[in-house]
Amino acid sequence: MSLDYRNFLALSYEELEELNLQAKADRLSRLPIEEVRDKRIKYLTDQKHIKAVTVLFSDLEGRLHLLDYDKKFLLGSHENLTFDGSSIRGFTAQKESDLRLGIDWSAFYWVPADVFGNGKVLVFGTVIDKDGTPYSGDLRGILKAYSDKLYKDKGYTLNAANEIEGFLFAGKDAERRYHETLKFDFINTGGYYHVLPLDPLRQFIDTAAEVQRAMGFQNEKDHPEVAPSQFEINYGYGEVVAAADQIQLYKLLCRQIANNMGYTACFLPKPVVGVNGSGMHTNVSISKEKTNLFWDPKGQEMLSGFGWEFIDRILTHALDICLILNPSVNAYRRLDPHFEAPNQIKASATDRGSMVRVPIGNSRSMRVEVRSVAPDANPYLALYSIFKTGVDGSTAKIDNLRQAERYLPDHIQAAIDDFKGSKWIAEVLGSDVQGRFADLKQASANRCARDLGTFVKAPEVQFHHEIYNQSLWNLF
């Protein structure tokens, strides 16, 4: 079909960055949602070259779902968008399938046409139950409600930034095609911070960073990571819901850019045996009227008493929330102390094997880093559990809590048992969502070997544990 007659929106990267940064500022200043909605609807109405609005939402496990609505249809029906919730993992039963999508007009993005297609804009949605209440399985909505409540009741702003590691493998759909070769092929073996300027990995990182910048991510630094073909592209702090949205967008744009280049961007925690796995180190802080409540120049490691109490609650409930932060069988392959994995339920300023680290900071940047988060975690659920636990959790009477000899589980079955039996999780999520999430994880675990040394019989193929560690049976 000829493209000569098409005239859909395709903005320059400079124009995109300007629009997205303004939208980000509106969001950070908590501009009244009615004002934001009216501004976005007027833009969509006036801009004749937009053909579709892509609405994004995530299921209970954190998979990102995208629905394209014709622009004119959305403008006339944005208050009554329905979908079949029974088709979404962890959502409703078939007999109660109808759910609605609300539009979070503050979470609106202009996107590069060469990555997302001409004439499209993105906006995040919230899932609404049949009775008009927020849907309990939509953790984005739960996180937003919690963040808004803390701001209203205490003046707290919850801040987060994530260091998301991933691998770049040769070939498209390398994960889905794994069974054909039983291996992943690296496209670079340079290692930490080491890569030639025009190496394929560097070109991928540069391209992804350009797209992030255009989408208002406000980049900080990017580099190859320790393992071969591993990368990390860092960007600035954001309010917690915006930060979780950016995690979803980061993984989406990385996967699409890699696909465009003939590669696969992989965010499994441990796709390859014998090299470091990938983490999603999660930096968090709480501010009030622009004052960082975690900063105290006279505190231990310059972290305030409020910050240390936050850490103590995380350590107390470490086993309760472990399955949320490490939700896949593969995630427990990563928690191996031989590869700098943070499997110790400790807090430290220096020991990177500790679950929680206190990085060097100042009045603006002081934060707490939760290191035992896998990149395949549901970002909304992970951030909600971290902040809810750090703010509202209890503190255990354990001698030397911050340095006690305690460890995270080394397999998912133990994490599931801790999660299912946790009274704290029932309080945080409600027993219904707790049960649904546990059932999804148990179904995944039941497809895999319980112990690392076990042989598993698959149809016509028998995998030893090292090969099995990379197989698709073990990915999710």
Side-chain angles (χ1 to χ4, degrees), residues 119-320:
K120 292 185 179 183
V121 290
L122 307 184
V123 65
F124 280 86
T126 56
V127 183
I128 302 169
D129 217 332
K130 291 181 297 181
D131 61 3
T133 60
Y135 181 58
S136 62
D138 175 26
L139 269 299
R140 184 184 188 277
I142 300 299
L143 174 63
K144 189 174 189 307
Y146 181 68
S147 174
D148 289 346
K149 186 176 188 303
L150 283 182
Y151 183 80
K152 179 181 178 181
D153 293 349
K154 299 184 178 182
Y156 290 174
T157 296
L158 309 182
N159 309 298
N162 302 83
E163 303 167 36
I164 311 164
E165 297 168 334
F167 282 89
L168 190 65
F169 294 132
K172 295 183 178 182
D173 296 324
E175 295 161 324
R176 294 182 182 180
R177 301 182 62 183
Y178 174 82
H179 68 283
E180 298 174 9
T181 60
L182 300 183
K183 66 177 182 177
F184 291 122
D185 292 320
F186 299 133
I187 56 94
N188 166 278
T189 57
Y192 199 43
Y193 292 176
H194 183 68
V195 66
L196 292 172
L198 294 180
D199 179 277
L201 180 61
R202 182 72 259 175
Q203 291 187 52
F204 163 79
I205 292 173
D206 286 350
T207 303
E210 289 167 6
V211 174
Q212 286 183 195
R213 189 179 301 109
M215 293 180 67
F217 274 54
Q218 295 176 293
N219 296 352
E220 292 185 350
K221 66 178 186 295
D222 52 63
H223 56 85
E225 261 293 344
V226 175
S229 277
Q230 194 177 33
F231 64 89
E232 181 179 307
I233 309 171
N234 296 150
Y235 50 87
Y237 257 82
E239 187 276 331
V240 65
V241 181
D245 289 345
Q246 286 184 312
I247 294 171
Q248 297 293 63
L249 291 173
Y250 173 95
K251 292 195 285 187
L252 177 66
L253 68 88
C254 282
R255 287 180 175 129
Q256 184 59 62
I257 291 164
N259 187 268
N260 291 351
M261 299 174 72
Y263 306 132
T264 298
C266 173
F267 295 101
L268 289 170
K270 189 77 170 181
V272 181
V273 175
V275 299
N276 285 28
S278 292
M280 186 168 72
H281 303 157
T282 298
N283 297 275
V284 298
S285 68
I286 299 175
S287 56
K288 184 174 183 179
E289 297 177 353
K290 299 185 179 180
T291 298
N292 186 347
L293 299 182
F294 280 11
W295 166 253
D296 182 353
K298 297 181 180 178
Q300 181 184 351
E301 305 299 340
M302 298 187 179
L303 182 67
S304 68
F306 179 72
W308 280 111
E309 290 169 3
F310 187 98
I311 288 175
D312 289 344
R313 296 182 186 112
I314 296 292
L315 297 177
T316 296
H317 294 285
L319 297 180
D320 299 319

Side-chain angles (χ1 to χ4, degrees), residues 373-385:
V373 186
D376 58 353
N378 180 337
Y380 305 103
L381 178 54
L383 285 168
Y384 173 59
S385 68

